[in-house]
Amino acid sequence: MIDINDGGELREAATMSFLQKLALGESLDAMKEKLDDPIEWVKRNVGTQRLFRFILSHPARDHMAGLRRLLLAGELGIVNFWDIPHQRACTKDDFPNEEAWLDWASYAAMRADQNVDRIDWPRYLTLDLPEGPAR
Protein backbone atom coordinates (compact mmCIF):
# COMPACT_ATOMS: atom_id res chain seq x y z
CA MET A 1 0.00 0.00 0.00
CA ILE A 2 1.26 3.46 -0.86
CA ASP A 3 -0.22 6.15 1.39
CA ILE A 4 -3.63 5.94 3.00
CA ASN A 5 -6.64 8.19 3.22
CA ASP A 6 -9.43 6.39 5.00
CA GLY A 7 -12.10 8.75 3.74
CA GLY A 8 -13.48 9.13 7.24
CA GLU A 9 -13.97 12.76 6.37
CA LEU A 10 -13.25 14.86 3.34
CA ARG A 11 -10.21 16.93 4.05
CA GLU A 12 -9.11 20.03 2.17
CA ALA A 13 -9.91 19.58 -1.51
CA ALA A 14 -7.45 20.97 -3.97
CA THR A 15 -8.32 19.12 -7.17
CA MET A 16 -10.30 20.61 -10.03
CA SER A 17 -12.40 17.45 -10.35
CA PHE A 18 -13.62 17.93 -6.76
CA LEU A 19 -14.43 21.57 -7.47
CA GLN A 20 -16.16 20.61 -10.71
CA LYS A 21 -18.34 18.06 -8.91
CA LEU A 22 -19.34 20.70 -6.39
CA ALA A 23 -20.12 23.14 -9.22
CA LEU A 24 -22.25 20.49 -10.93
CA GLY A 25 -24.26 20.11 -7.74
CA GLU A 26 -22.94 16.82 -6.35
CA SER A 27 -23.24 17.05 -2.59
CA LEU A 28 -20.42 16.40 -0.14
CA ASP A 29 -22.50 13.57 1.34
CA ALA A 30 -22.82 11.91 -2.07
CA MET A 31 -19.06 12.19 -2.61
CA LYS A 32 -18.33 10.74 0.85
CA GLU A 33 -20.48 7.69 0.08
CA LYS A 34 -18.28 6.90 -2.93
CA LEU A 35 -15.04 6.87 -0.91
CA ASP A 36 -13.77 3.38 -0.13
CA ASP A 37 -12.17 2.65 3.21
CA PRO A 38 -8.73 1.38 2.07
CA ILE A 39 -8.37 -0.98 5.04
CA GLU A 40 -11.70 -2.65 4.28
CA TRP A 41 -10.89 -2.68 0.55
CA VAL A 42 -7.61 -4.57 1.15
CA LYS A 43 -9.31 -7.07 3.45
CA ARG A 44 -12.10 -7.62 0.93
CA ASN A 45 -10.06 -7.70 -2.30
CA VAL A 46 -6.61 -8.90 -1.28
CA GLY A 47 -7.61 -11.17 1.56
CA THR A 48 -4.71 -10.41 3.87
CA GLN A 49 -4.62 -9.37 7.49
CA ARG A 50 -1.17 -7.78 7.26
CA LEU A 51 0.37 -5.50 4.66
CA PHE A 52 3.83 -6.67 3.67
CA ARG A 53 4.87 -3.09 2.89
CA PHE A 54 3.40 0.34 3.51
CA ILE A 55 5.09 3.30 1.79
CA LEU A 56 4.45 6.82 3.02
CA SER A 57 5.31 9.06 0.08
CA HIS A 58 5.45 12.13 2.33
CA PRO A 59 4.02 13.04 5.74
CA ALA A 60 1.00 15.14 4.75
CA ARG A 61 -2.50 14.72 6.22
CA ASP A 62 -4.06 13.58 2.96
CA HIS A 63 -1.45 10.81 2.64
CA MET A 64 -1.69 9.48 6.19
CA ALA A 65 -5.33 9.84 7.26
CA GLY A 66 -6.21 6.56 8.95
CA LEU A 67 -2.60 5.57 9.63
CA ARG A 68 -3.37 5.25 13.34
CA ARG A 69 -5.85 2.49 12.50
CA LEU A 70 -3.09 0.55 10.76
CA LEU A 71 -0.49 1.15 13.48
CA LEU A 72 -2.50 0.88 16.68
CA ALA A 73 -5.86 -0.73 16.17
CA GLY A 74 -4.53 -3.91 14.61
CA GLU A 75 -7.22 -3.84 11.94
CA LEU A 76 -4.78 -4.77 9.20
CA GLY A 77 -1.22 -4.38 10.42
CA ILE A 78 2.01 -3.54 8.65
CA VAL A 79 5.14 -5.70 8.40
CA ASN A 80 7.47 -3.11 6.79
CA PHE A 81 6.96 0.66 6.89
CA TRP A 82 8.92 2.68 4.31
CA ASP A 83 9.34 6.37 4.95
CA ILE A 84 11.33 9.29 3.62
CA PRO A 85 13.95 11.19 5.61
CA HIS A 86 12.58 14.47 6.94
CA GLN A 87 12.70 16.70 9.98
CA ARG A 88 9.07 17.82 9.95
CA ALA A 89 7.73 18.53 13.41
CA CYS A 90 4.10 19.29 14.22
CA THR A 91 1.99 20.30 17.16
CA LYS A 92 -1.67 19.67 17.81
CA ASP A 93 -2.43 23.20 16.63
CA ASP A 94 -1.24 22.25 13.12
CA PHE A 95 -4.21 19.91 12.61
CA PRO A 96 -7.88 20.65 11.94
CA ASN A 97 -9.23 17.94 14.24
CA GLU A 98 -8.37 15.28 16.82
CA GLU A 99 -8.41 12.43 14.29
CA ALA A 100 -5.77 14.09 12.08
CA TRP A 101 -3.62 14.87 15.12
CA LEU A 102 -3.80 11.26 16.37
CA ASP A 103 -2.69 9.97 12.94
CA TRP A 104 0.36 12.24 13.14
CA ALA A 105 1.07 11.45 16.80
CA SER A 106 1.00 7.69 16.11
CA TYR A 107 3.33 8.14 13.15
CA ALA A 108 5.74 10.27 15.22
CA ALA A 109 5.71 7.72 18.05
CA MET A 110 6.51 4.90 15.63
CA ARG A 111 9.37 6.89 14.08
CA ALA A 112 10.78 7.53 17.56
CA ASP A 113 10.07 3.93 18.64
CA GLN A 114 8.22 5.21 21.70
CA ASN A 115 6.50 2.69 23.89
CA VAL A 116 2.80 3.47 23.69
CA ASP A 117 -0.35 1.37 23.80
CA ARG A 118 0.11 -0.51 20.55
CA ILE A 119 0.37 -3.91 18.94
CA ASP A 120 3.92 -4.09 17.52
CA TRP A 121 5.53 -1.39 15.47
CA PRO A 122 6.32 -2.49 11.94
CA ARG A 123 9.91 -2.74 10.79
CA TYR A 124 10.75 0.90 10.04
CA LEU A 125 12.77 1.55 6.88
CA THR A 126 13.91 4.85 5.45
CA LEU A 127 16.24 5.92 2.68
CA ASP A 128 19.67 6.81 3.93
CA LEU A 129 19.84 9.94 1.81
CA PRO A 130 20.43 13.56 2.74
CA GLU A 131 17.30 15.65 2.77
CA GLY A 132 16.72 18.01 -0.11
CA PRO A 133 15.98 21.70 0.22
CA ALA A 134 12.95 22.70 2.27
CA ARG A 135 9.81 23.13 0.19
Side-chain angles (χ1 to χ4, degrees), residues 1-62:
M1 180 182 284
I2 300 174
D3 296 332
I4 185 170
N5 191 334
D6 67 6
E9 77 175 63
L10 287 175
R11 289 173 169 68
E12 299 170 32
T15 65
M16 185 53 75
S17 62
F18 176 85
L19 297 175
Q20 287 171 337
K21 287 177 183 179
L22 280 179
L24 293 173
E26 187 166 357
S27 73
L28 288 176
D29 287 337
M31 284 187 267
K32 285 180 186 180
E33 287 178 19
K34 294 178 184 175
L35 296 175
D36 274 336
D37 178 327
I39 294 172
E40 293 305 318
W41 188 93
V42 168
K43 286 180 182 179
R44 188 174 58 247
N45 293 293
V46 180
T48 186
Q49 292 301 310
R50 291 182 55 104
L51 296 173
F52 175 72
R53 179 179 302 130
F54 178 88
I55 300 170
L56 185 64
S57 64
H58 63 285
R61 285 193 314 261
D62 61 334

Side-chain angles (χ1 to χ4, degrees), residues 1 3-6 11 37-39 51 54 56 60-61 63-78 81 97-110 116-122:
M1 180 182 284
D3 296 332
I4 185 170
N5 191 334
D6 67 6
R11 289 173 169 68
D37 178 327
I39 294 172
L51 296 173
F54 178 88
L56 185 64
R61 285 193 314 261
H63 291 258
M64 62 192 315
L67 183 59
R68 181 172 184 268
R69 287 177 58 205
L70 287 177
L71 292 173
L72 299 179
E75 290 190 50
L76 191 56
I78 303 170
F81 189 106
N97 57 51
E98 185 75 11
E99 180 185 353
W101 163 248
L102 290 173
D103 285 331
W104 174 266
S106 298
Y107 166 71
M110 180 202 54
V116 297
D117 183 23
R118 60 174 169 82
I119 311 295
D120 285 318
W121 290 138

